[in-house]
Amino acid sequence: MKKMTIIITAFERSPDGGKGLARDTRVRWALEEAGQPYEVRLVSFRAMKEPAHLAVHPFGQIPTYEEGDLTLFETGAIVLHIAERHGGLLPGDANARARAITWMFAAVNTVEPPILELAIAKFQEGDKPWSKERLPLIENRIRDRLKPLSSRLGDADWLDGAFSAGDLMMVSVLLRSRASGILDEIPNLAAYVARGEARPAYKRAFDAQLAVNTGKLPAG
Ligand code: GTB
């Protein structure tokens, strides 16, 4: 069977200037871990809300994933799809696989919401009169998630045995809590994230998105 080209979408210019925080990085990382080549279609903020992109992503966001006649959105679903079809991201044992997928859901459904809330509160509501009082409340909600995660991780390298898509998603989510200083309050989680960043596949993904945002290399 002919291998289909994988095409993902990413910001034409990420608001973070290439710090790797936009969500295409986690998809690039999964593809790099799986050893799958991919192409990137860059989209502007305006193009994201136009019909052509809305046909691929109903909420007008990035990233998306296209492979032949399959189109996907939502990074959790995209990373799971990649992990299920290629080796290296999910264990072979059925129970271990289910646990790795559980960590993927925990990342996007339990840990990411307060981290995202803080970003929204800072960048979209920072000028509101109540903002200063609200920020510490959200920061504590992040701590309420990171502390139990830290206890569960303990001194292990990864959340459940070998590195998996669960770690890929969790590290990706935690990266966005670093700027607040909260990640560095918890040394074993900071080290966990650093281990993720040190993986060659992460570095390739990071460099690829950085190149787009600094205009140094073609998107693919
Ligand atoms: N739940 C979806 C998923 O996981 O795929 C969320 C997708 C999403 O939020 N996409 C964002 C987007 O397209 C980009 S990643 N936003 C444009 C819009 O909604 O109109 C979020 C993001 C954006 C910018 C930074 N940054 O600059 O630091 C970090 C993360």
Side-chain angles (χ1 to χ4, degrees):
M1 201 173 78
K2 191 174 172 288
K3 211 167 169 347
M4 295 294 177
T5 303
I6 295 170
I7 304 168
I8 68 165
T9 52
F11 282 134
E12 189 176 63
R13 279 279 169 271
S14 177
D16 74 354
K19 290 197 180 79
L21 299 175
R23 286 179 172 86
D24 58 294
T25 304
R26 56 183 77 164
V27 173
R28 292 173 184 270
W29 185 8
L31 288 165
E32 291 289 352
E33 292 282 354
Q36 295 304 304
Y38 62 96
E39 294 178 4
V40 184
R41 193 170 63 242
L42 300 176
V43 284
S44 65
F45 276 94
R46 188 197 295 173
M48 270 191 274
K49 309 301 175 196
E50 286 172 356
H53 189 72
L54 287 170
V56 188
H57 197 308
F59 305 111
Q61 296 183 311
I62 60 95
T64 58
Y65 177 101
E66 292 160 56
E67 187 180 13
D69 56 11
L70 173 69
T71 62
L72 295 174
F73 60 96
E74 282 298 330
T75 51
I78 295 170
V79 171
L80 182 56
H81 170 79
I82 296 165
E84 280 183 328
R85 272 157 190 76
H86 308 284
L89 281 166
L90 284 175
D93 173 75
N95 285 354
R97 204 176 175 89
R99 290 196 303 273
I101 294 169
T102 300
W103 281 117
M104 294 182 69
F105 276 86
V108 293
N109 211 31
T110 300
V111 179
E112 191 164 46
I115 294 174
L116 187 58
E117 190 61 33
L118 185 64
I120 293 170
K122 278 184 178 164
F123 298 113
Q124 293 178 22
E125 302 166 357
D127 57 346
K128 303 279 188 265
W130 36 261
S131 177
K132 265 207 166 59
E133 280 179 69
R134 183 163 140 74
L135 291 183
L137 302 178
I138 307 173
E139 286 169 358
N140 279 337
R141 271 180 230 142
I142 297 177
R143 291 186 184 95
D144 287 346
R145 293 308 186 205
L146 266 50
K147 284 180 185 163
L149 183 66
S150 161
S151 301
R152 172 56 79 98
L153 179 67
D155 59 8
D157 278 354
W158 307 114
L159 285 166
D160 191 338
F163 175 82
S164 78
D167 296 297
L168 187 151
M169 291 301 290
M170 192 63 82
V171 167
S172 300
V173 161
L174 291 175
L175 269 166
R176 215 169 166 193
S177 70
R178 191 186 266 154
S180 67
I182 298 174
L183 180 65
D184 289 325
E185 291 172 7
I186 307 177
N188 72 331
L189 283 190
Y192 170 66
V193 169
R195 266 191 298 283
E197 291 175 297
R199 292 180 70 83
Y202 177 83
K203 286 185 183 166
R204 289 194 295 274
F206 181 89
D207 289 348
Q209 65 75 38
L210 180 65
V212 169
N213 285 290
T214 53
K216 291 210 173 116
L217 280 175

